[in-house]
Amino acid sequence: MIDYYYCYTKNKSDVGKICNFTKSKSQIVGRIESNEELKKKYMHKENIYYNDDNIKKYSEQCVNIESIKLENKFFYHNEGGWTKDVDISEHQNKIKYIKRLDKDINLFNSLKILMNDTTKIINKNNSINIYEEYFKKDLQNEDNFKIKSILVIKDKNRKYNRFITSTKWSTDNTYKLAISYCVNNYQKILFNNPKNCLLYNLNDINNPYQFLYTKSFIKCLRFNHKNSDLLLAGSYDGTVNLWDLRKKNNLCECSPIHLSHKTIVHDVIWLQTKTNNHCLSVSNDGLCLIWDIRNFSEHVESFCLKRDPTEVCELVETSNIASDVINAPEGINFVNTVCGNNSNGTLPPGEIQKMYGDNALESNLPGTGTNVCYGANCLEWNLEAGPSKILVGTDEGYILSLSKRPAKNLELLQKYGTSNEKHLSSITSIRRIPINLKYFLTTDKWGFNIWSEDVKFPIISNNYNECIINKGLWVHDSSFFMLIRKDGYLDFWNLLYNFNEPIIKHKICNCSVTDIDAHVNNKYISVGNEQGDIHILKLGDSFCKNTGEEKAALDELFERESKREKNLEYIRKQLNCIRKKKECLNARDVQITDEVARETEREYESLL
């Protein structure tokens, strides 16, 4: 650019004046060739638009309230509406004036005229308020039927896949939760896996506030109904364990193995006594053992759930193993027979007869094929229903009603169910209905039944369920009950609305749900699954509360169904009596005496 320039001259007087351009021929001053290097460095930029103004977005104003002086004054309220002739201070003058008005016809006519005007004004006030919010109650009802998942307690020990065996809330209003675990192959890894029970508090859910250790895995838990510091547990080796949470020692007090159950303790309950120290445990071996927690060295009472002799059952002969067990001359390793090869201990000869009676071969000994006793699977006891009433669910599908009165032994009062009308599989849970404790709910793998204490047959039963049912729970003081399933669903049932299908199906997890329990206030529910997780759910107010109409309707429903079953039972008895009479008459008609037979032979010979 410096090589090419053009020089021109201009007078000093012309500087600053307007330029005067004229036409002229174009001249080539120089030629500038393009530079490719500079062309590569050239960058195209987009247009940038920018707007700006000086208008303020915010404004500020100051307002000062005028001061007002306040003074306290009083009003004198006097009776009004009286004429000048009436003296208000005298009560008799008022009465005379009122009687005079009652007889005055003009007063009634004037009131009629005034009422016509007032009714128009009242009708205007009764018109629809356009500013009122309608359907508020319907929206609240929708919220009341919601189920919220508050939190999930994960199993931190992931070395072995543990599942939840039992979860129980404390009997007081505190939010304490006891959880027990077990592994699938517990016999193979009996000594390697930690066998503990965890105690959580919902106020501090990050870590358990207490660890409870045992010698074997826990199957069931139960807090004391009067003292929540006492925790009872039934284990897989047949023993009964007890913890006192007030003590610093986390080890349990357990019953001796040779005096305990022969199989897994499926359920335990506390009994109502003066000292509040007795408990009951059941198992598949057919024994109900009563223990005193002050002395676990020996059980207080043993009761065998023997079968009814009239019941049809085939007894298999005792195997050689059972005979060797009883007739062993030098004692046998009975603990290994019952609990596996990992335990050590022997029993002297003849000790088994002392424990289980002289007919030990006829009981449910391990390795034998006999089945003389009912296998107990679950228990139900409610203080309000009666301190002496105990319900036992069996593996055969029957419900047994036991009685434990003070200073008396256990007694079998009644057996609910028959060969045709009972559960098809083992009973997994029994719950009394809180609205009316006369009725109780039972569940098995395929459905549920509702029973009455007065009827031996189920008054209500549902069809086969689409999935296996693990347990059931009736919500306290409500018409709803819940069923947990193997596919991870929680079903809510209400018989007042539907008999065949649940009202709500709530998805908990993708695995099987093993146990469920409700808090005292019914708002919180703990649900355990196969993966060792605990889900805490919060129910709406509609699940926890019960109106008087629903309670009366549910009572009428149960009474109607129980009367129907009683009538059907009466018809069955009449049909059986008629059938027996017909059989007797047919037998008499067929019978022929010897004299008649001889006469017929003589007549036949004479004809020949």
Side-chain angles (χ1 to χ4, degrees), residues 538-587:
K538 184 179 180 181
L539 301 181
D541 295 335
S542 298
F543 292 104
C544 307
K545 295 180 181 179
N546 183 25
T547 60
E549 296 178 356
E550 290 182 355
K551 184 177 181 181
L554 201 62
D555 287 338
E556 290 178 0
L557 174 65
F558 291 154
E559 288 179 3
R560 184 187 69 219
E561 296 298 329
S562 59
K563 286 180 181 178
R564 181 182 296 174
E565 288 297 330
K566 288 179 181 178
N567 294 332
L568 291 173
E569 187 178 1
Y570 179 72
I571 293 169
R572 288 193 200 98
K573 289 181 180 179
Q574 285 185 341
L575 292 174
N576 290 331
C577 293
I578 294 169
R579 192 180 302 163
K580 289 180 181 179
K581 287 181 181 179
K582 287 183 178 180
E583 290 177 356
C584 292
L585 292 173
N586 293 330

Short mmCIF file of all heavy atoms in Angstrom, two decimals, residues 538-587:
data_model
loop_
_atom_site.label_atom_id
_atom_site.label_comp_id
_atom_site.label_asym_id
_atom_site.label_seq_id
_atom_site.Cartn_x
_atom_site.Cartn_y
_atom_site.Cartn_z
N LYS A 538 -46.95 -45.60 54.43
CA LYS A 538 -47.87 -44.77 55.20
C LYS A 538 -49.24 -44.81 54.52
O LYS A 538 -49.36 -44.49 53.33
CB LYS A 538 -47.37 -43.33 55.29
CG LYS A 538 -48.24 -42.45 56.18
CD LYS A 538 -47.68 -41.04 56.27
CE LYS A 538 -48.55 -40.16 57.16
NZ LYS A 538 -48.03 -38.78 57.24
N LEU A 539 -50.26 -45.20 55.27
CA LEU A 539 -51.61 -45.32 54.73
C LEU A 539 -52.38 -44.03 54.93
O LEU A 539 -52.13 -43.27 55.87
CB LEU A 539 -52.34 -46.48 55.40
CG LEU A 539 -51.71 -47.86 55.28
CD1 LEU A 539 -52.57 -48.88 55.98
CD2 LEU A 539 -51.49 -48.25 53.83
N GLY A 540 -53.36 -43.80 54.05
CA GLY A 540 -54.23 -42.65 54.19
C GLY A 540 -55.21 -42.82 55.34
O GLY A 540 -55.34 -43.89 55.94
N ASP A 541 -55.91 -41.73 55.64
CA ASP A 541 -56.83 -41.76 56.77
C ASP A 541 -58.01 -42.70 56.54
O ASP A 541 -58.57 -43.24 57.49
CB ASP A 541 -57.35 -40.34 57.05
CG ASP A 541 -56.24 -39.41 57.51
OD1 ASP A 541 -55.25 -39.93 58.06
OD2 ASP A 541 -56.36 -38.19 57.30
N SER A 542 -58.39 -42.91 55.30
CA SER A 542 -59.55 -43.77 55.02
C SER A 542 -59.27 -45.23 55.34
O SER A 542 -60.18 -46.00 55.62
CB SER A 542 -59.96 -43.64 53.55
OG SER A 542 -60.36 -42.32 53.27
N PHE A 543 -57.99 -45.64 55.30
CA PHE A 543 -57.64 -47.02 55.64
C PHE A 543 -57.66 -47.24 57.15
O PHE A 543 -57.88 -48.36 57.61
CB PHE A 543 -56.26 -47.37 55.11
CG PHE A 543 -56.19 -47.44 53.61
CD1 PHE A 543 -55.60 -46.42 52.89
CD2 PHE A 543 -56.72 -48.51 52.93
CE1 PHE A 543 -55.54 -46.47 51.52
CE2 PHE A 543 -56.66 -48.58 51.56
CZ PHE A 543 -56.07 -47.55 50.85
N CYS A 544 -57.39 -46.19 57.92
CA CYS A 544 -57.23 -46.35 59.37
C CYS A 544 -58.50 -46.07 60.15
O CYS A 544 -58.66 -46.57 61.26
CB CYS A 544 -56.12 -45.42 59.87
SG CYS A 544 -54.57 -45.60 58.97
N LYS A 545 -59.39 -45.25 59.60
CA LYS A 545 -60.59 -44.87 60.32
C LYS A 545 -61.77 -45.70 59.82
O LYS A 545 -61.80 -46.17 58.69
CB LYS A 545 -60.88 -43.38 60.13
CG LYS A 545 -59.82 -42.48 60.75
CD LYS A 545 -60.16 -41.03 60.53
CE LYS A 545 -59.09 -40.12 61.13
NZ LYS A 545 -59.40 -38.69 60.90
N ASN A 546 -62.75 -45.83 60.69
CA ASN A 546 -63.94 -46.61 60.36
C ASN A 546 -65.17 -45.88 60.87
O ASN A 546 -65.22 -45.46 62.03
CB ASN A 546 -63.86 -48.00 60.99
CG ASN A 546 -65.04 -48.85 60.62
OD1 ASN A 546 -65.66 -48.64 59.58
ND2 ASN A 546 -65.36 -49.81 61.45
N THR A 547 -66.14 -45.70 60.00
CA THR A 547 -67.37 -45.05 60.39
C THR A 547 -68.32 -46.06 61.02
O THR A 547 -68.18 -47.27 60.86
CB THR A 547 -68.03 -44.40 59.16
OG1 THR A 547 -68.32 -45.42 58.20
CG2 THR A 547 -67.11 -43.36 58.55
N GLY A 548 -69.30 -45.53 61.74
CA GLY A 548 -70.28 -46.41 62.37
C GLY A 548 -71.12 -47.18 61.37
O GLY A 548 -71.53 -48.32 61.62
N GLU A 549 -71.37 -46.57 60.20
CA GLU A 549 -72.16 -47.26 59.18
C GLU A 549 -71.41 -48.47 58.62
O GLU A 549 -71.99 -49.53 58.40
CB GLU A 549 -72.50 -46.28 58.06
CG GLU A 549 -73.39 -45.12 58.52
CD GLU A 549 -73.66 -44.14 57.40
OE1 GLU A 549 -73.07 -44.34 56.31
OE2 GLU A 549 -74.42 -43.18 57.62
N GLU A 550 -70.10 -48.31 58.36
CA GLU A 550 -69.32 -49.44 57.85
C GLU A 550 -69.24 -50.57 58.86
O GLU A 550 -69.33 -51.75 58.50
CB GLU A 550 -67.92 -48.96 57.48
CG GLU A 550 -67.88 -48.05 56.26
CD GLU A 550 -66.47 -47.65 55.92
OE1 GLU A 550 -65.55 -48.01 56.70
OE2 GLU A 550 -66.27 -46.98 54.89
N LYS A 551 -69.09 -50.23 60.11
CA LYS A 551 -69.02 -51.26 61.15
C LYS A 551 -70.33 -52.03 61.25
O LYS A 551 -70.34 -53.26 61.32
CB LYS A 551 -68.68 -50.60 62.49
CG LYS A 551 -68.49 -51.59 63.62
CD LYS A 551 -68.08 -50.88 64.90
CE LYS A 551 -67.87 -51.89 66.02
NZ LYS A 551 -67.48 -51.20 67.28
N ALA A 552 -71.46 -51.30 61.21
CA ALA A 552 -72.76 -51.97 61.28
C ALA A 552 -72.99 -52.84 60.03
O ALA A 552 -73.50 -53.96 60.13
CB ALA A 552 -73.86 -50.93 61.42
N ALA A 553 -72.58 -52.33 58.86
CA ALA A 553 -72.77 -53.10 57.63
C ALA A 553 -71.91 -54.37 57.64
O ALA A 553 -72.36 -55.44 57.19
CB ALA A 553 -72.42 -52.24 56.43
N LEU A 554 -70.69 -54.28 58.16
CA LEU A 554 -69.82 -55.45 58.21
C LEU A 554 -70.35 -56.48 59.21
O LEU A 554 -70.29 -57.70 58.95
CB LEU A 554 -68.41 -55.02 58.58
CG LEU A 554 -67.27 -55.97 58.21
CD1 LEU A 554 -67.21 -56.15 56.70
CD2 LEU A 554 -65.94 -55.45 58.71
N ASP A 555 -70.88 -56.03 60.33
CA ASP A 555 -71.49 -56.95 61.30
C ASP A 555 -72.69 -57.66 60.69
O ASP A 555 -72.88 -58.88 60.88
CB ASP A 555 -71.90 -56.19 62.56
CG ASP A 555 -70.71 -55.80 63.40
OD1 ASP A 555 -69.66 -56.45 63.26
OD2 ASP A 555 -70.82 -54.84 64.18
N GLU A 556 -73.52 -56.93 59.97
CA GLU A 556 -74.68 -57.55 59.32
C GLU A 556 -74.25 -58.58 58.28
O GLU A 556 -74.86 -59.64 58.14
CB GLU A 556 -75.54 -56.47 58.67
CG GLU A 556 -76.27 -55.58 59.66
CD GLU A 556 -77.07 -54.49 58.98
OE1 GLU A 556 -77.05 -54.47 57.72
OE2 GLU A 556 -77.71 -53.68 59.68
N LEU A 557 -73.17 -58.25 57.55
CA LEU A 557 -72.67 -59.19 56.55
C LEU A 557 -72.20 -60.48 57.19
O LEU A 557 -72.56 -61.59 56.74
CB LEU A 557 -71.53 -58.52 55.78
CG LEU A 557 -70.77 -59.40 54.78
CD1 LEU A 557 -71.68 -59.83 53.64
CD2 LEU A 557 -69.56 -58.65 54.23
N PHE A 558 -71.43 -60.39 58.26
CA PHE A 558 -70.93 -61.59 58.93
C PHE A 558 -72.07 -62.39 59.57
O PHE A 558 -72.07 -63.63 59.51
CB PHE A 558 -69.90 -61.20 59.99
CG PHE A 558 -68.61 -60.68 59.41
CD1 PHE A 558 -67.80 -59.82 60.14
CD2 PHE A 558 -68.20 -61.04 58.14
CE1 PHE A 558 -66.62 -59.34 59.61
CE2 PHE A 558 -67.03 -60.56 57.60
CZ PHE A 558 -66.23 -59.71 58.33
N GLU A 559 -73.03 -61.72 60.17
CA GLU A 559 -74.15 -62.42 60.79
C GLU A 559 -74.99 -63.14 59.74
O GLU A 559 -75.44 -64.28 59.95
CB GLU A 559 -75.01 -61.43 61.57
CG GLU A 559 -74.36 -60.94 62.86
CD GLU A 559 -75.23 -59.93 63.59
OE1 GLU A 559 -76.36 -59.68 63.10
OE2 GLU A 559 -74.79 -59.40 64.62
N ARG A 560 -75.21 -62.50 58.61
CA ARG A 560 -75.99 -63.12 57.55
C ARG A 560 -75.31 -64.38 57.02
O ARG A 560 -75.94 -65.43 56.84
CB ARG A 560 -76.20 -62.11 56.42
CG ARG A 560 -77.10 -62.62 55.29
CD ARG A 560 -77.11 -61.64 54.15
NE ARG A 560 -75.83 -61.59 53.48
CZ ARG A 560 -75.26 -60.48 53.02
NH1 ARG A 560 -75.83 -59.31 53.21
NH2 ARG A 560 -74.09 -60.53 52.41
N GLU A 561 -74.00 -64.28 56.79
CA GLU A 561 -73.28 -65.44 56.26
C GLU A 561 -73.18 -66.56 57.29
O GLU A 561 -73.25 -67.74 56.94
CB GLU A 561 -71.88 -65.01 55.81
CG GLU A 561 -71.86 -64.01 54.66
CD GLU A 561 -72.48 -64.57 53.40
OE1 GLU A 561 -72.39 -65.80 53.19
OE2 GLU A 561 -73.07 -63.79 52.63
N SER A 562 -73.02 -66.20 58.57
CA SER A 562 -72.96 -67.24 59.60
C SER A 562 -74.31 -67.94 59.75
O SER A 562 -74.35 -69.17 59.94
CB SER A 562 -72.53 -66.61 60.93
OG SER A 562 -73.44 -65.61 61.33
N LYS A 563 -75.42 -67.21 59.66
CA LYS A 563 -76.74 -67.84 59.72
C LYS A 563 -76.94 -68.77 58.53
O LYS A 563 -77.52 -69.86 58.66
CB LYS A 563 -77.83 -66.77 59.73
CG LYS A 563 -77.95 -66.04 61.05
CD LYS A 563 -79.06 -65.01 60.99
CE LYS A 563 -79.17 -64.25 62.32
NZ LYS A 563 -80.23 -63.20 62.25
N ARG A 564 -76.46 -68.36 57.38
CA ARG A 564 -76.59 -69.21 56.19
C ARG A 564 -75.82 -70.52 56.38
O ARG A 564 -76.32 -71.60 56.04
CB ARG A 564 -76.07 -68.45 54.97
CG ARG A 564 -76.18 -69.22 53.67
CD ARG A 564 -75.59 -68.43 52.52
NE ARG A 564 -76.33 -67.20 52.29
CZ ARG A 564 -75.96 -66.27 51.41
NH1 ARG A 564 -74.85 -66.42 50.71
NH2 ARG A 564 -76.70 -65.19 51.24
N GLU A 565 -74.62 -70.45 56.92
CA GLU A 565 -73.84 -71.66 57.14
C GLU A 565 -74.48 -72.55 58.20
O GLU A 565 -74.45 -73.79 58.10
CB GLU A 565 -72.41 -71.30 57.56
CG GLU A 565 -71.56 -70.73 56.44
CD GLU A 565 -71.34 -71.73 55.32
OE1 GLU A 565 -71.32 -72.95 55.60
OE2 GLU A 565 -71.20 -71.30 54.17
N LYS A 566 -75.08 -71.94 59.22
CA LYS A 566 -75.79 -72.74 60.23
C LYS A 566 -76.98 -73.47 59.62
O LYS A 566 -77.22 -74.65 59.92
CB LYS A 566 -76.26 -71.84 61.37
CG LYS A 566 -75.14 -71.35 62.27
CD LYS A 566 -75.68 -70.44 63.36
CE LYS A 566 -74.56 -69.92 64.25
NZ LYS A 566 -75.07 -69.00 65.30
N ASN A 567 -77.71 -72.80 58.75
CA ASN A 567 -78.84 -73.46 58.09
C ASN A 567 -78.37 -74.59 57.19
O ASN A 567 -78.98 -75.67 57.15
CB ASN A 567 -79.63 -72.44 57.27
CG ASN A 567 -80.30 -71.40 58.15
OD1 ASN A 567 -80.64 -71.67 59.30
ND2 ASN A 567 -80.50 -70.20 57.62
N LEU A 568 -77.27 -74.36 56.47
CA LEU A 568 -76.73 -75.43 55.62
C LEU A 568 -76.25 -76.62 56.44
O LEU A 568 -76.43 -77.78 56.04
CB LEU A 568 -75.59 -74.88 54.77
CG LEU A 568 -75.97 -73.87 53.68
CD1 LEU A 568 -74.72 -73.30 53.03
CD2 LEU A 568 -76.86 -74.51 52.63
N GLU A 569 -75.66 -76.34 57.59
CA GLU A 569 -75.21 -77.43 58.46
C GLU A 569 -76.41 -78.22 58.99
O GLU A 569 -76.36 -79.46 59.09
CB GLU A 569 -74.40 -76.84 59.62
CG GLU A 569 -73.75 -77.89 60.50
CD GLU A 569 -72.91 -77.27 61.60
OE1 GLU A 569 -72.85 -76.02 61.67
OE2 GLU A 569 -72.32 -78.03 62.38
N TYR A 570 -77.49 -77.53 59.33
CA TYR A 570 -78.70 -78.22 59.79
C TYR A 570 -79.28 -79.10 58.69
O TYR A 570 -79.72 -80.23 58.93
CB TYR A 570 -79.72 -77.18 60.25
CG TYR A 570 -81.03 -77.77 60.73
CD1 TYR A 570 -81.11 -78.46 61.94
CD2 TYR A 570 -82.18 -77.64 59.96
CE1 TYR A 570 -82.30 -79.00 62.37
CE2 TYR A 570 -83.38 -78.17 60.38
CZ TYR A 570 -83.44 -78.85 61.59
OH TYR A 570 -84.62 -79.39 62.01
N ILE A 571 -79.26 -78.60 57.45
CA ILE A 571 -79.77 -79.40 56.32
C ILE A 571 -78.89 -80.63 56.10
O ILE A 571 -79.39 -81.73 55.81
CB ILE A 571 -79.83 -78.52 55.06
CG1 ILE A 571 -80.90 -77.44 55.23
CG2 ILE A 571 -80.11 -79.36 53.82
CD1 ILE A 571 -80.87 -76.37 54.17
N ARG A 572 -77.57 -80.47 56.26
CA ARG A 572 -76.67 -81.62 56.09
C ARG A 572 -76.98 -82.70 57.13
O ARG A 572 -76.99 -83.90 56.81
CB ARG A 572 -75.22 -81.16 56.24
CG ARG A 572 -74.69 -80.34 55.08
CD ARG A 572 -73.18 -80.21 55.18
NE ARG A 572 -72.69 -79.10 54.39
CZ ARG A 572 -72.41 -77.90 54.86
NH1 ARG A 572 -72.57 -77.65 56.15
NH2 ARG A 572 -71.98 -76.94 54.08
N LYS A 573 -77.21 -82.29 58.36
CA LYS A 573 -77.51 -83.27 59.41
C LYS A 573 -78.81 -84.02 59.11
O LYS A 573 -78.90 -85.24 59.29
CB LYS A 573 -77.60 -82.57 60.76
CG LYS A 573 -76.26 -82.08 61.29
CD LYS A 573 -76.42 -81.40 62.64
CE LYS A 573 -75.08 -80.92 63.17
NZ LYS A 573 -75.21 -80.23 64.49
N GLN A 574 -79.82 -83.29 58.64
CA GLN A 574 -81.08 -83.95 58.32
C GLN A 574 -80.90 -84.95 57.17
O GLN A 574 -81.44 -86.06 57.19
CB GLN A 574 -82.13 -82.90 57.95
CG GLN A 574 -82.67 -82.14 59.14
CD GLN A 574 -83.79 -81.20 58.74
OE1 GLN A 574 -83.93 -80.86 57.56
NE2 GLN A 574 -84.60 -80.80 59.71
N LEU A 575 -80.14 -84.55 56.15
CA LEU A 575 -79.91 -85.46 55.03
C LEU A 575 -79.14 -86.70 55.47
O LEU A 575 -79.42 -87.82 54.99
CB LEU A 575 -79.15 -84.73 53.92
CG LEU A 575 -79.91 -83.62 53.20
CD1 LEU A 575 -78.99 -82.89 52.23
CD2 LEU A 575 -81.11 -84.19 52.44
N ASN A 576 -78.19 -86.53 56.37
CA ASN A 576 -77.45 -87.70 56.88
C ASN A 576 -78.36 -88.64 57.66
O ASN A 576 -78.26 -89.87 57.54
CB ASN A 576 -76.29 -87.23 57.76
CG ASN A 576 -75.20 -86.56 56.97
OD1 ASN A 576 -75.00 -86.87 55.79
ND2 ASN A 576 -74.48 -85.64 57.59
N CYS A 577 -79.28 -88.07 58.46
CA CYS A 577 -80.22 -88.91 59.21
C CYS A 577 -81.13 -89.68 58.26
O CYS A 577 -81.40 -90.89 58.45
CB CYS A 577 -81.05 -88.05 60.16
SG CYS A 577 -80.10 -87.31 61.49
N ILE A 578 -81.63 -89.00 57.22
CA ILE A 578 -82.50 -89.68 56.25
C ILE A 578 -81.74 -90.78 55.52
O ILE A 578 -82.27 -91.88 55.28
CB ILE A 578 -83.08 -88.65 55.26
CG1 ILE A 578 -84.01 -87.68 56.00
CG2 ILE A 578 -83.81 -89.34 54.12
CD1 ILE A 578 -84.42 -86.48 55.18
N ARG A 579 -80.49 -90.52 55.19
CA ARG A 579 -79.69 -91.51 54.48
C ARG A 579 -79.46 -92.74 55.36
O ARG A 579 -79.53 -93.89 54.88
CB ARG A 579 -78.37 -90.88 54.08
CG ARG A 579 -77.55 -91.70 53.11
CD ARG A 579 -76.26 -90.98 52.79
NE ARG A 579 -76.54 -89.66 52.23
CZ ARG A 579 -75.64 -88.68 52.16
NH1 ARG A 579 -74.43 -88.87 52.65
NH2 ARG A 579 -75.96 -87.52 51.62
N LYS A 580 -79.18 -92.51 56.64
CA LYS A 580 -78.96 -93.64 57.54
C LYS A 580 -80.23 -94.46 57.73
O LYS A 580 -80.19 -95.70 57.79
CB LYS A 580 -78.46 -93.12 58.89
CG LYS A 580 -77.04 -92.59 58.86
CD LYS A 580 -76.60 -92.08 60.22
CE LYS A 580 -75.18 -91.54 60.17
NZ LYS A 580 -74.75 -91.02 61.50
N LYS A 581 -81.38 -93.78 57.79
CA LYS A 581 -82.65 -94.52 57.93
C LYS A 581 -82.91 -95.39 56.71
O LYS A 581 -83.34 -96.54 56.82
CB LYS A 581 -83.79 -93.53 58.13
CG LYS A 581 -83.81 -92.88 59.50
CD LYS A 581 -84.99 -91.93 59.62
CE LYS A 581 -85.00 -91.26 61.00
NZ LYS A 581 -86.14 -90.31 61.13
N LYS A 582 -82.63 -94.84 55.52
CA LYS A 582 -82.84 -95.63 54.30
C LYS A 582 -81.93 -96.84 54.27
O LYS A 582 -82.33 -97.94 53.88
CB LYS A 582 -82.59 -94.75 53.08
CG LYS A 582 -83.68 -93.73 52.82
CD LYS A 582 -83.39 -92.95 51.56
CE LYS A 582 -84.51 -91.95 51.27
NZ LYS A 582 -84.24 -91.17 50.03
N GLU A 583 -80.69 -96.67 54.70
CA GLU A 583 -79.77 -97.80 54.72
C GLU A 583 -80.23 -98.88 55.69
O GLU A 583 -80.15 -100.08 55.40
CB GLU A 583 -78.37 -97.31 55.10
CG GLU A 583 -77.71 -96.46 54.02
CD GLU A 583 -76.37 -95.92 54.48
OE1 GLU A 583 -76.01 -96.16 55.65
OE2 GLU A 583 -75.69 -95.26 53.66
N CYS A 584 -80.76 -98.45 56.85
CA CYS A 584 -81.27 -99.43 57.82
C CYS A 584 -82.48 -100.17 57.27
O CYS A 584 -82.61 -101.40 57.41
CB CYS A 584 -81.64 -98.73 59.12
SG CYS A 584 -80.21 -98.07 60.01
N LEU A 585 -83.40 -99.44 56.61
CA LEU A 585 -84.59 -100.09 56.04
C LEU A 585 -84.21 -101.07 54.94
O LEU A 585 -84.75 -102.17 54.85
CB LEU A 585 -85.55 -99.03 55.50
CG LEU A 585 -86.21 -98.13 56.56
CD1 LEU A 585 -87.00 -97.02 55.88
CD2 LEU A 585 -87.13 -98.95 57.46
N ASN A 586 -83.28 -100.70 54.10
CA ASN A 586 -82.85 -101.60 53.04
C ASN A 586 -82.19 -102.85 53.61
O ASN A 586 -82.38 -103.96 53.10
CB ASN A 586 -81.87 -100.89 52.10
CG ASN A 586 -82.56 -99.77 51.34
OD1 ASN A 586 -83.76 -99.84 51.07
ND2 ASN A 586 -81.81 -98.74 51.00
N ALA A 587 -81.45 -102.69 54.69
CA ALA A 587 -80.80 -103.85 55.30
C ALA A 587 -81.84 -104.79 55.90
O ALA A 587 -81.71 -106.02 55.81
CB ALA A 587 -79.82 -103.39 56.37
#
